[in-house]
Amino acid sequence: MVKADNVKKDYTIGKVVVHALRGVTIDVEQGEFMSIAGPSGSGKTTLLNLIGCLDTASAGEIYIDGQAVSGRSKNELALLRREKLGFVFQSFNLIPVLTAIENVSFALSLLGLDSDTVQKKSMQIMEEVGLKGLEKRFPNELSGGQQQRVAIARALVKDPGIVLADEPTANLDSNTGKDILKLMEELNKKHKTTFIFSTHDSMVMDFAHRLVQLHDGLIAKNGVGKGGGK
Amino acid sequence: MKFLISLAWKNLSRYRRRTIITAVAIAIGIALYIWIDALLLGAEMETVRNLIYFETGPARIMQKKYWEEKDYMLISYYLEDPAAIQAELKKEGYESTQRISFLGNIMNLEQQEGSFQIKMAAIDAKTDGVVFKLEDGIVPENGRFLESGEPEIIIGKDLAEDLDIKLDDWVLVTTKTAGDVYGEAGSWDDLELKVVGLLSTPNPLINKGMAFIPLDYAKQRLMRGQGATDVIVNFPAGADSGSEVEKIKAAIAGLPGAGDWEVLDYKELAREFIMLASTKSGGSKIILFLFFIIAVIGISNTMLMAVFERVKEIGMMRAMGMKDRAIVWAFFLEATGIGFVGSLVGLVLGILLTAYMVIWGLDFSGMIQGMGNIGYRTAGVFKGWWNFDTMLSAFFMGIIISGLVSFIPALRAVRMQITECLRDK
């Protein structure tokens, strides 16, 4: 599903070169519920960005469904993200002028689907994430947890193979964060969608079925997580 | 595209205050441009009309030498048989009149002190009205129009004030007569003339510095009973003056001495004003440019703010697979939307202001009297003129420029790394 092969990423800040990833190799199978954990600066967000084709590796290769992503044009990468990847962000990143349902529909309208299909699928996913009846609300009329549910619906509505979530609970209180993680776990089971989180929150790590720990840009631990928040 | 239009519209509504402020800036710029253009064009059209009706007439026939030394208005270069010219023109359907145009020093005869050099014209009281509208410039309380054969004069109202002359006063005009031989300057002659009318025309140059006397009286005193310096020919308003001049030339070509004559239309006769008008037209384009700069700065600022406020949102849209081109389009549509609203309001305001100018105009009489000759021949009330080309071009330019200025910040946004956008605070 996803493979990172000896991936390295360097940033130049002024005259200093920062080695964010020093050679990470990882395989993620379809339907995994995986967490990339580590302290600040360990390279977890960088790895997530590379897998999400939001950034390019300095060396090594990322494969999505067996196909290398390096060398692709900006438009090709945009199409890849549009069709195969869903994103959930720490600060939700909903479009404030659109209602909840419109935010969800946005992902589908990029695929050029007809409006009936867009409407039907959007309503269905809204119900799945527990937001039935709140479709017409604007983001500022929703709580943080509800906004993150909209973001999850937006990521899942197009049936992507992979959902990448960067610190999805960081802006939520612990109870709401737990609810969100349970929801994602349920959806992972139901849709067989691969979920990859980056986090330094132990609660998120506890939910992960597989835990990859990064330290100074290298994999420090790659093993089975507790799963289910145990 | 439907989604992009919807998103652009929603963003315009979301930042309503900013949208309104920017649209108002564009609207004011466009409305002012339309208004000033209408004002300048109105003044220009009014000036052309007043030039033709009160100064030049549509076309003039005169001796080439008279035209070459037009600043001196030497009546010694006269047309020997203007009546023959008029008769030939009549055959071709042209109405005409003859005048003697000359310079004279005018003074209040009673006070006998201070004199002005002014332009004067001896006019045929019976036929002058077929070309000019001088007679309309005398209202009953300001006397009457000239009668043939009498030693009388009508003078501009403002000139009369300057000379402290009232109706029925007498003035002394000193001028040079034509000589015994064509082209030879004659002697100085003093004409004592009774003021029978005070002219108040829409042309301030007439009011301020011209006087008129009867043609037959002037011929006796100045031309030994014959000749005139000009034959002024009328042709329909709106006709192509160049081709009319050619027709007039052809009509009189067979007359003796025609080779020495000049036939000029009002554009040539008032070339200085036409040049001034074209300079002013250039000036109005600079004003247009300045107004558009105001609009451009306004919308650029709005779009810059719109982009900077939404960097994270842009990052999210790009992460979700929205192409850079679509994002640039989204901003373009948003800016075009503001441009459309602003331009539409500006157009409506501009039309209302122009309508006011066309119907009522603006009274600048106090200002103009103090300024002397400003080139325009309008007596004080500046009226507007509809210019639909300007209205449409201002409307569309407002929209197009608004859209174009959005490209810079939008391109800047999509050049940023997506991760950089997502990190934006």
Side-chain angles (χ1 to χ4, degrees):
Chain A
M1 185 91 220
V2 178
K3 185 179 176 185
D5 185 12
N6 195 26
V7 170
K8 293 177 183 171
K9 180 68 184 177
D10 299 333
Y11 296 107
T12 305
I13 302 169
K15 289 179 182 173
V16 180
V17 177
V18 177
H19 304 288
L21 291 176
R22 296 161 184 265
V24 171
T25 298
I26 190 173
D27 267 303
V28 185
E29 297 300 323
Q30 187 174 356
E32 283 204 59
F33 199 68
M34 189 186 105
S35 176
I36 301 169
S40 290
S42 60
K44 54 188 186 301
T45 298
T46 304
L47 180 59
L48 207 69
N49 286 339
L50 293 178
I51 293 170
C53 305
L54 301 178
D55 207 349
T56 49
S58 307
E61 187 60 89
I62 300 283
Y63 298 90
I64 306 276
D65 283 344
Q67 291 189 315
V69 300
S70 65
R72 295 197 189 197
S73 69
K74 281 174 96 177
N75 277 348
E76 285 170 335
L77 289 174
L79 285 175
L80 182 73
R81 289 194 299 270
R82 186 185 293 183
E83 287 164 9
K84 296 192 172 176
L85 301 170
F87 292 89
V88 176
F89 303 99
Q90 179 181 333
S91 50
F92 326 131
N93 284 4
L94 300 178
I95 302 173
V97 290
L98 302 183
T99 60
I101 189 90
E102 286 169 339
N103 265 286
V104 174
S105 306
F106 165 61
L108 289 176
S109 46
L110 288 176
L111 293 173
L113 300 177
D114 64 88
S115 57
D116 284 347
T117 311
V118 168
Q119 186 68 10
K120 196 176 151 193
K121 291 187 100 172
S122 303
M123 290 299 283
Q124 197 180 328
I125 197 78
M126 287 294 279
E127 195 174 345
E128 277 189 57
V129 299
L131 291 178
K132 194 177 178 190
L134 302 178
E135 296 90 346
K136 303 272 181 190
R137 291 210 184 167
F138 286 93
N140 64 359
E141 296 168 340
L142 296 170
S143 68
Q146 287 169 332
Q147 287 188 55
Q148 195 61 303
R149 281 168 190 264
V150 175
I152 291 166
R154 183 179 62 186
L156 274 171
V157 70
K158 58 187 180 182
D159 296 323
I162 307 152
V163 170
L164 300 161
D166 186 16
E167 310 259 10
T169 58
N171 281 359
L172 303 173
D173 63 70
S174 59
N175 284 335
T176 311
K178 198 174 265 183
D179 290 344
I180 288 294
L181 287 165
K182 277 182 186 166
L183 172 69
M184 289 201 279
E185 196 176 26
E186 280 169 30
L187 294 168
N188 162 255
K189 281 179 188 159
K190 188 174 174 186
H191 294 276
K192 302 288 179 215
T193 307
T194 306
F195 275 78
I196 305 175
F197 311 99
S198 74
T199 189
H200 59 262
D201 182 348
S202 59
M203 182 178 73
V204 180
M205 292 181 222
D206 289 344
F207 268 88
H209 300 171
R210 180 178 169 194
L211 185 64
V212 173
Q213 286 200 309
L214 291 179
H215 189 77
D216 286 343
L218 288 169
I219 293 177
K221 188 180 167 188
N222 185 357
V224 179
K226 292 177 186 170
K230 293 163 201 162
Chain B
M1 182 53 82
K2 197 177 155 192
F3 171 75
L4 292 181
I5 293 170
S6 159
L7 186 65
W9 175 248
K10 282 172 179 169
N11 274 316
L12 289 178
S13 327
R14 167 190 176 187
Y15 302 108
R16 197 170 298 157
R17 189 182 295 170
R18 200 169 61 199
T19 302
I20 290 170
I21 290 170
T22 312
V24 164
I26 295 170
I28 290 173
I30 285 174
L32 281 177
Y33 172 65
I34 291 172
W35 177 65
I36 286 175
D37 182 75
L39 186 68
L40 290 174
L41 187 63
E44 197 178 319
M45 300 301 276
E46 177 81 358
T47 296
V48 169
R49 213 164 35 211
N50 289 335
L51 261 171
I52 294 171
Y53 289 154
F54 297 97
E55 277 182 71
T56 62
R60 252 171 215 244
I61 303 163
M62 68 198 94
Q63 289 286 351
K64 281 179 179 166
K65 286 185 176 173
Y66 180 85
W67 178 243
E68 281 163 14
E69 298 195 50
K70 58 182 180 295
D71 290 343
Y72 305 105
M73 301 179 79
L74 302 172
I75 62 171
S76 48
Y77 299 119
Y78 56 87
L79 300 165
E80 287 176 26
D81 192 359
I85 296 173
Q86 285 184 276
E88 284 303 307
L89 291 169
K90 188 84 179 170
K91 285 182 200 166
E92 297 298 321
Y94 286 108
E95 296 284 0
S96 62
T97 187
Q98 48 178 290
R99 281 184 168 190
I100 302 167
S101 303
F102 59 102
L103 292 174
N105 285 310
I106 188 167
M107 133 188 325
N108 184 325
L109 192 59
E110 205 172 302
Q111 294 176 357
Q112 292 273 331
E113 56 181 31
S115 68
F116 291 118
Q117 189 184 55
I118 58 166
K119 285 181 180 177
M120 295 191 63
I123 61 175
D124 183 346
K126 289 180 186 130
T127 61
D128 201 70
V130 302
V131 178
F132 296 101
K133 291 190 183 292
L134 268 184
E135 207 165 347
D136 297 347
I138 299 182
V139 289
E141 60 265 32
N142 283 340
R144 60 167 174 81
F145 198 56
L146 295 171
E147 285 173 4
S148 302
E150 300 297 323
E152 55 190 34
I153 187 169
I154 54 176
I155 67 174
K157 185 171 61 70
D158 298 332
L159 176 64
E161 267 179 37
D162 290 345
L163 287 165
D164 197 18
I165 291 168
K166 292 175 191 66
L167 271 180
D168 299 328
D169 283 355
W170 285 78
V171 294
L172 181 69
V173 171
T174 308
T175 188
K176 228 167 190 182
T177 64
D180 292 332
V181 181
Y182 170 74
E184 178 200 32
S187 54
W188 289 97
D189 197 2
D190 291 334
L191 310 176
E192 287 181 19
L193 304 158
K194 185 183 180 185
V195 178
V196 295
L198 301 176
L199 280 168
S200 179
T201 72
N203 187 327
L205 263 63
I206 299 290
N207 302 346
K208 190 90 182 162
M210 272 203 84
F212 301 86
I213 62 174
L215 181 72
D216 46 3
Y217 178 76
K219 277 190 180 182
Q220 282 174 14
R221 296 293 302 267
L222 307 174
M223 312 281 289
R224 301 178 321 282
Q226 61 178 2
T229 56
D230 326 74
V231 168
I232 304 103
V233 192
N234 198 12
F235 55 73
D240 174 40
S241 60
S243 61
E244 293 295 332
V245 163
E246 290 310 312
K247 283 187 209 165
I248 292 166
K249 279 181 182 171
I252 60 172
L255 292 171
D260 295 329
W261 301 340
E262 196 78 75
V263 183
L264 300 171
D265 65 1
Y266 66 91
K267 290 177 187 165
E268 278 296 315
L269 292 163
R271 188 188 279 175
E272 282 166 14
F273 164 73
I274 301 295
M275 283 167 67
L276 184 72
S278 101
T279 308
K280 283 182 177 167
S281 167
S284 76
K285 286 191 178 79
I286 291 171
I287 293 170
L288 164 75
F289 181 70
L290 290 176
F291 287 145
F292 273 121
I293 290 285
I294 294 169
V296 166
I297 290 171
I299 192 119
S300 298
N301 189 41
T302 301
M303 294 319 295
L304 269 174
M305 285 170 72
V307 170
F308 288 145
E309 278 182 10
R310 278 185 266 157
V311 167
K312 205 164 193 170
E313 191 178 310
I314 291 167
M316 180 276 294
M317 291 196 285
R318 292 171 71 198
M320 291 187 63
M322 196 165 176
K323 288 184 180 173
D324 293 351
R325 198 173 49 189
I327 287 169
V328 173
W329 262 105
F331 282 105
F332 174 79
L333 289 171
E334 201 174 319
T336 305
I338 299 179
F340 176 76
V341 173
S343 299
L344 190 64
V345 174
L347 181 66
V348 171
L349 273 176
I351 288 172
L352 291 175
L353 286 169
T354 304
Y356 179 86
M357 292 301 301
V358 169
I359 298 166
W360 293 290
L362 280 182
D363 190 353
F364 289 117
S365 49
M367 197 192 298
I368 286 173
Q369 271 186 344
M371 288 164 74
N373 181 9
I374 58 163
Y376 287 122
R377 268 68 162 180
T378 55
V381 178
F382 275 58
K383 287 208 162 187
W385 195 268
W386 293 106
N387 189 348
F388 295 105
D389 287 350
T390 294
M391 289 177 183
L392 283 179
S393 58
F395 174 70
F396 286 112
M397 286 298 281
I399 299 172
I400 292 166
I401 289 178
S402 300
L404 289 180
V405 297
S406 72
F407 278 117
I408 299 162
L411 286 170
R412 198 171 153 184
V414 296
R415 271 198 210 112
M416 286 170 77
Q417 290 285 328
I418 298 176
T419 50
E420 203 181 327
C421 292
L422 290 169
R423 273 199 304 271
D424 192 80
K425 299 290 181 193

